[in-house]
Amino acid sequence: MPGTPPLKDRRIWEHPILTFKRGRRVKFYFNGNIVEGYEGESIAAALYAARYDVFSRSPYKGRARGAFCMIGKCSSCFAIVDGVPNTRTCVEPIREGVKVEFQEGLAEIPSATGGLEGKDEEVIEGVDVLVIGGGPAGLAAAIAAAKHGLSVLIVNEHFKLGGQLIKQTHKFFGSKDLFGGLRGFQVAEELENKVRSMRNVRVLLQATAYGFFRDGWVGVAGKDRLYRVKPRFVIAAPGAAERHLAFPGNDLPGVMGAGGAQTLMNEYGILPGDEVLVVGSGNVGVIVSYQLLQAGAKVKGIVEILPYIGAWFVHAAKIRRYGVKVYTRHTIKEVWGKDRVEGATIVRVDEHFKPVPGSETDIPCDLVLIAVGLTPDTRLLAQAGAVVTWVPELGGLVPIRTKYLETSVPGLFIAGDASGIEEATTAMIEGEIAGLSAVVRAGADDAGNAAERREALLKFLWDEYRASPVVARAKAGKLKVTVSEDEMERIRVSNPPPVRFGS
Amino acid sequence: MREEVEVLIIGAGISGLAIAYSLQKRGVKDILILDESYIGAGSTGRCATGIRASFTSKEHVVLMKHSIDLWKKYAAGELGRAGLYYDQSGYVWVATRDESAEFFEKLAKLHNSLGVNTKIIGIDELKELVPPMKVDGVAGAMFDPTAGKSYPFDTIFAFLKLVKGRGAEVVTRVKVTKILTSSGKVTGVEVEGGKIIKASTVVVAAGSGSRELLGSVGVKLPIENIPRHALITEPYKEAFKPLVIDWDTPGVPYIVQSKEGGFFMGRDVEEKPELPLTSQRIDFMPKAVKPLTKFFPWLRNIRVLRYWVGYYVTTPDHHPVYGPVKEVEGLYIAAGYSGHGYMMGPITGELLAEWILNRKPHIPEAERLTLDRFERGALIKELAVIG
């Protein structure tokens, strides 16, 4: 708005490569105090920008809680919003006048008495494909299915589509049809525009698929009403959650997932801290360090338990140019501070990864980022009855699937990080394969073309894209859980699926 | 796992564990408990935590009075130190129709005559007991101050710790496929894989699996496994203590706040017996919660954390089957509680221990609950089955 000075707080106004598009100014309340933010920000982001670190205290020990994952996968950012306690403020957009209150331990029963019952449950029958998750995998799946004439319903927990693409500011590798040369948030825009232009795709934002039920019903809880959905096929692409580490003080505000910091910094243009210690030197740890440096923060060091940096050479070279100290053979011992990180102690480890007493180093900082990987969010799939198995190469429990990405629940497909952690390009390829699988199984008019395209994608994915040695580990993991159709039938006999789709 | 044992108990729910505990108190040392799943995986772990004596049959009232005495005694003793508790916070029955309010008066008189001090309460007392309740439309209410609640996993892990500490062996994930007999006497069991475990006394406390087990020796146990549904919400500060029953809504919805703060809710919805436990239904949650919002409008803004299905292992007269099986010496049953097995756990333990060791329980009413009552046509009548 011309003439209105920008808000002076943790927001970033000068950045070497990014410009942040901000909406109009919005005023809301935190404990009765006026807070200003910009339309399009989440409550958690706007509070963080205004330097509120603590949103609640934990139920039993009264410990401070604030922003951690920033994408709705944890409960750290709970606060009372318009009288409703336990609201995940990171997936709740700011609105003019919304009243946010600090939550002191277990909340009193809600003062608000409106809510879901206000509107009748909407029954959605006859939709061809229900897509759970509007990130790269879900959007690619929706587009593939809708292109071939299937009707699609996308449910997305966040109030924005795009998933984690919106915080990816690096340029994608690869050819043009894999969005090579575009930055992640631009890819998200393209996918969203495509989906919004398709008349047979309906999108529900701030909507949670909460369970699978008898006779093939799927429950969806929207912002102001419940939906009862009976789809022919389901494609689940719910993504992943950040892993955490166990150390004293790991719950202190200012200890954050690396992805949480990226959301603040790259999506909302909010500097997550001034002096930062990063734990983990894999690609994410190193990339987030580089992005922090670009955004104007000081990176005090990167802690790595292994004797070498885990990131690819291209990424590691960037932080080397900045002279960031990498503490290899080190781990984090503890974090201290009162209601906000004031510093961390790191310690050297021996060849058995055991801390060496007396080798501690104190590092004053106000932000500790945990970049130790992701774990697939497969709780909903397990509830549906899909057989899951533990695969360390893929980050944890993942569903067993056929090469067409169908789980042991017939007609329930998976794609993206929930199928095993890789990255956005793979997620989009898997999404398209899953979408095409629904098309083939639905017997749509041009199912033949869809099948051909699907084979080409599979060939590319397995023989070219995953041929690179840098993704060998993930490929090995995916090979472990990909079974033949015959084997899947045997699995279904010994683990009868409680629900079935695809008929 | 031992190959020969004095007493073999099938089922590591509250019944099996309480029986082992009571046997040990009477000096039995050699006990093996087998469960086909995990500890408390059946109806114990799936129950909604309520405990009461306010029933409408003499058998239930007498047994539950004894059971509540034991709950209190156990909570005050070594089991209490191991985590078992009994929170005697009562049951509140709420009527919205005048006829029901009148029925409450009759029911209270019946309870009083059986020694349960259920009483009619006014609106003021109701508001005092359940402060966040909207009482518009309430025609009458009844309070049972003897009733209460207890968290099943705290209870069974307390029992488990003590019975294992005294030498009982508890083995999970072992399915008993057959009860073995020879010339009218029990000799042991066969487990999956064909292994045989010898035992001169076998107790079937296997909940929904009891019928199949007894069928393996030709004994017919007339039970149906009827799916019942329950849910729990995210936790809140304590809002009210008693369990509240919405008597005039069909299916009798109830709500009770757990120790951790979550609200348990349930309602009887019509179900076919024997549907699998993974058979959750999408209409259950609105069906259970919506009627309760007339009393508790704030429930609309509370999230459900979990919803699950458990079995009411139901007999034709809604009373348990206890004691020896006439046709097979050494074979005992403790099953078919029709929704009340958790609350009856402590007294179940005592009764079965007495039957096994003394051939007779100390409570005469229990003797009417043996399996042969179905042959004799001596069924027992129970009117107030809740949620």
Side-chain angles (χ1 to χ4, degrees), chain A residues 212-410:
Chain A
F212 286 76
F213 297 88
R214 190 185 295 179
D215 302 329
W217 289 101
V218 183
V220 175
K223 184 70 190 138
D224 59 356
R225 81 182 331 160
L226 292 171
Y227 301 85
R228 203 179 277 197
V229 187
K230 195 164 194 174
R232 286 176 75 193
F233 298 94
V234 181
I235 298 171
E242 295 202 62
R243 281 201 193 148
H244 207 354
L245 293 172
F247 54 84
N250 71 352
D251 59 343
L252 201 59
V255 176
M256 203 182 276
Q262 284 181 311
T263 295
L264 280 169
M265 172 168 65
N266 301 344
E267 182 179 341
Y268 296 114
I270 294 165
L271 196 61
D274 297 316
E275 302 198 312
V276 192
L277 179 71
V278 177
V279 182
S281 74
N283 281 333
V284 171
V286 169
I287 290 171
V288 77
S289 299
Y290 182 65
Q291 292 170 343
L292 282 161
L293 292 165
Q294 285 184 320
K298 190 170 176 196
V299 178
K300 302 287 284 284
I302 301 177
V303 181
E304 172 56 58
I305 199 160
L306 293 173
Y308 49 84
I309 297 177
W312 298 348
F313 178 78
V314 285
H315 299 309
K318 288 180 188 166
I319 55 145
R320 261 196 212 105
R321 285 203 297 274
Y322 273 91
V324 172
K325 186 158 172 57
V326 181
Y327 295 88
T328 50
R329 288 189 194 280
H330 274 74
T331 190
I332 187 152
K333 189 181 174 201
E334 66 180 305
V335 161
W336 70 84
K338 189 188 175 300
D339 288 357
R340 169 87 202 191
V341 172
E342 290 164 25
T345 302
I346 64 171
V347 62
R348 198 149 47 78
V349 297
D350 64 19
E351 60 272 29
H352 306 295
F353 303 112
K354 292 268 183 308
V356 178
S359 69
E360 288 86 354
T361 308
D362 287 351
I363 300 178
C365 56
D366 65 347
L367 184 69
V368 172
L369 293 186
I370 308 297
V372 295
L374 301 170
T375 193
D377 191 353
T378 49
R379 294 164 298 174
L380 184 68
L381 288 146
Q383 187 274 335
V387 175
V388 294
T389 185
W390 182 264
V391 183
E393 295 92 333
L394 298 178
L397 283 172
V398 289
I400 294 173
R401 79 297 303 266
T402 66
K403 69 175 172 177
Y404 297 133
L405 301 173
E406 189 174 17
T407 66
S408 69
V409 171

